[in-house]
Amino acid sequence: MIHTIKETVFTYHQRLLDDWIKGKREWLPLSLFTPTVVEQQLNEYFGAYFGLSQYMKQGWLGTAFYALGNWEPDNPLYTEGRILLAQYINPNKLSLFKGLRTGVTSGEPDLFLYKTDGSILFVVVKKEDEYLSDAELICLSNIKSVLECDVEVAYLAEERSLYTPKSYDIKVVQFPNPLGV
């Protein structure tokens, strides 16, 4: 089955990005986990954190620091996100997913989002001059197929730019009853 993902577009003011680079992040919800690495690499994390703030306005909770796979198992940066994954994703499905992606360390979405009703959403965030990679498309397909979670691509456009959202087709394999779950 083919599943089409149409980009969700969020616009931002250039001033917001400039302030972010200067270390001004007053617009971030206080509840967000912002590790030291974010402060050390400000330009790299703007997209994920702006996207996360936009989804939080829609009632989502989540993190940019998690790991679906087995990479960096001892990195404390991902501990909270791994705990959240374990709370919201069936362990048998997560184990199957990890087995499928053994040795793969790229392509995981930027955001893991959830709602208290059990809804789960994984989001790849791109901003101007960034493109979705084949590894990201494959991972989105794996998530939709094995974990049976919703997936999105969010595009961040500077407010003065004209942008037409793209659509992406991913292959979704439907298992009749994977691992009895």
Side-chain angles (χ1 to χ4, degrees):
M1 178 174 82
I2 299 298
H3 176 75
T4 301
I5 303 168
K6 186 171 180 176
E7 287 178 326
T8 298
V9 179
F10 297 117
T11 58
Y12 65 92
H13 301 282
Q14 181 61 44
R15 175 186 38 80
L16 197 65
L17 175 58
D18 295 341
D19 285 349
W20 171 270
I21 292 169
K22 294 174 189 171
K24 298 177 184 175
R25 298 183 306 275
E26 293 81 15
W27 52 271
L28 275 180
L30 295 175
S31 61
L32 275 182
F33 171 59
T34 51
T36 307
V37 69
V38 171
E39 307 220 2
Q40 295 167 345
Q41 300 172 7
L42 287 172
N43 201 27
E44 183 175 330
Y45 289 100
F46 173 78
Y49 274 86
F50 183 74
L52 186 51
S53 73
Q54 298 305 296
Y55 281 99
M56 289 179 82
K57 289 177 183 176
Q58 297 175 12
W60 291 96
L61 303 168
T63 183
F65 289 94
Y66 72 97
L68 276 169
N70 291 320
W71 51 276
E72 295 195 47
D74 300 320
N75 187 336
L77 199 58
Y78 302 108
T79 301
E80 181 182 326
R82 282 191 166 105
I83 291 168
L84 287 170
L85 287 171
Q87 288 176 333
Y88 284 90
I89 296 179
N90 178 292
N92 292 329
K93 290 180 182 181
L94 190 55
S95 179
L96 179 61
F97 181 86
K98 288 179 178 185
L100 179 67
R101 295 188 51 84
T102 298
V104 179
T105 59
S106 64
E108 288 191 8
D110 300 290
L111 304 176
F112 166 63
L113 305 173
Y114 61 94
K115 289 185 176 179
T116 55
D117 68 2
S119 301
I120 299 170
L121 177 63
F122 289 91
V123 182
V124 174
V125 179
K126 295 296 178 190
K127 56 183 204 209
E128 294 166 303
D129 300 323
E130 295 179 348
Y131 302 94
L132 205 58
S133 70
D134 288 342
E136 289 168 320
L137 284 169
I138 290 167
C139 189
L140 291 175
S141 175
N142 294 158
I143 290 169
K144 188 81 175 153
S145 297
V146 178
L147 300 180
E148 298 178 303
C149 296
D150 289 328
V151 295
E152 282 189 9
V153 176
Y155 186 86
L156 310 183
E158 201 277 325
E159 69 178 352
R160 293 173 293 171
S161 67
L162 297 175
Y163 183 76
T164 303
K166 295 183 194 76
S167 293
Y168 303 93
D169 289 334
I170 59 172
K171 188 181 222 178
V172 177
V173 178
Q174 292 184 306
F175 298 95
N177 195 7
L179 294 178
V181 292

